[in-house]
Amino acid sequence: MARAIWSGAVSFGLVNVPVRLYSATESKDVRFHEFQQGTGRRIRHERVAEGTDQEVPYEDVVKGYEYADGQYVTLTQEELEAAQPERTRGIAIEDFVELADVDPIFFQKTYYLDPGPGAEKPYALLLRAMEETGRVGIARFVFRTKEHLAAIRPMDGLLVLETMFFADEVRDVGDIDGVPAQADLDQREVDM
């Protein structure tokens, strides 16, 4: 049985609909561990500083961001925590748009939303209104430690939340050499 991974409320205007979030997909990737041949001993990777063979204690490890080739800025745990968005229990719908207006390249991961306890009626009203108008809600919410852009849409009698990439996370097609492809086409080939 699926378990809710987040609970909160979908809100727009003065309307607040309590919901629970469930992952709609699961990875079927095969993951392997490493073992020493012949002994069956598990291989562990250690935190070792470059140029040494000494293991670095976890408390001495700091995070760094490469802002230019080979150049880093390091951040303390306090700085990282200060940069995190404020955790909320709300999914704030900012706009309603036609689903056709959202390019699928922006969709990242799918979740099911079900009504929280006692929220069946407002949930059903929102679902039905979205089904009848053909609209999807474009929203923002904080999940774990990251702010997400999302599309909330009706599907098979429930609301589905699709996390989305922000526009600056989608590569421009012009960055790929040879696109669009250029070729001389014979009309007979196109007709076939």
Side-chain angles (χ1 to χ4, degrees), residues 173-182:
V173 128
D175 294 343
I176 301 171
D177 291 335
V179 173
Q182 300 295 319

Side-chain angles (χ1 to χ4, degrees), residues 27-158:
S27 173
K28 295 293 185 177
D29 290 346
V30 176
R31 301 192 189 277
F32 293 100
H33 294 284
E34 297 176 320
F35 296 89
Q36 182 181 20
Q37 187 173 345
T39 68
R41 290 186 187 145
R42 179 107 182 258
I43 303 293
R44 302 285 181 189
H45 295 274
E46 298 174 342
R47 294 174 306 278
V48 177
E50 275 181 17
T52 73
D53 59 355
Q54 297 176 359
E55 187 173 355
V56 178
Y58 187 76
E59 59 270 7
D60 290 344
V61 176
V62 295
K63 305 270 186 197
Y65 175 76
E66 186 173 20
Y67 62 90
D69 191 30
Q71 297 184 320
Y72 300 86
V73 60
T74 58
L75 301 164
T76 66
Q77 188 60 36
E78 293 77 25
E79 291 170 322
L80 290 170
E81 289 169 4
Q84 290 181 357
E86 179 184 343
R87 288 183 182 218
T88 65
R89 284 289 184 211
I91 301 171
I93 295 178
E94 297 176 354
D95 200 2
F96 288 93
V97 300
E98 298 286 331
L99 180 58
D101 292 340
V102 182
D103 191 316
I105 197 168
F106 287 95
F107 292 145
Q108 188 176 28
K109 185 159 173 49
T110 306
Y111 297 91
Y112 297 135
L113 288 173
D114 84 336
E120 292 81 5
K121 188 168 185 170
Y123 180 96
L125 283 168
L126 176 59
L127 174 64
R128 186 158 178 192
M130 292 174 81
E131 287 172 336
E132 290 181 1
T133 62
R135 298 284 184 154
V136 298
I138 302 300
R140 290 179 191 260
F141 75 112
V142 176
F143 181 51
R144 298 194 172 110
T145 59
K146 183 180 180 216
E147 181 181 50
H148 292 272
L149 183 63
I152 298 174
R153 63 185 180 88
M155 184 187 92
D156 298 332
L158 75 138

